[in-house]
Amino acid sequence: MSTFREKAEAQTEQVIGQMLGDELLVREGQSRLRKADSEAEPSEDRAKDRAKDRDEDRAKGADQGIVRDERGQEQPKDKARAQQVSRVDKGGDPPGKKA
């Protein structure tokens, strides 16, 4: 049985024990959950580490671009960089200073 399934069954056993007021069932569920945690395969731990790394990478990427100020208005995260970004002139009023 997979570790995930074992943990899910152990938690279900705990919840049912709590609903019925059966303290023995709750303790058995807790014991099964601890056993499943201790028997977790190293490959599952590596998968969890990789998922954590991906989440951290996403968080770093979210650190760029537009943020909200104290009034909830959208502002560029890096104002100096945002002012230097070039845009293509589409025939309207071009951005930036005019010479």
Side-chain angles (χ1 to χ4, degrees):
M1 185 180 319
S2 72
T3 305
F4 176 78
R5 184 172 179 174
E6 183 65 32
K7 288 180 182 182
E9 288 183 2
Q11 289 174 341
T12 302
E13 189 174 17
Q14 281 183 294
V15 170
I16 291 172
Q18 289 171 346
M19 289 171 44
L20 297 175
D22 187 348
E23 195 61 36
L24 179 60
L25 197 58
V26 172
R27 281 183 277 163
E28 287 175 0
Q30 290 171 342
S31 174
R32 282 180 65 185
L33 188 59
R34 282 192 297 273
K35 183 179 176 187
D37 281 337
S38 67
E39 292 178 354
E41 298 177 12
S43 62
E44 289 179 0
D45 291 338
R46 284 193 301 264
K48 288 177 187 176
D49 290 340
R50 283 193 302 270
K52 183 179 176 185
D53 290 342
R54 280 194 305 271
D55 290 342
E56 289 174 358
D57 290 343
R58 281 190 206 121
K60 289 177 187 173
D63 198 28
Q64 302 174 3
I66 298 175
V67 294
R68 294 195 181 270
D69 65 5
E70 60 277 350
R71 289 189 258 159
Q73 298 172 333
E74 292 183 349
Q75 300 292 325
K77 179 105 175 148
D78 185 354
K79 185 177 178 181
R81 182 172 178 261
Q83 289 175 340
Q84 294 174 358
V85 173
S86 63
R87 294 186 356 208
V88 176
D89 181 13
K90 296 182 181 177
D93 187 14
K97 296 180 182 177
K98 295 182 181 180

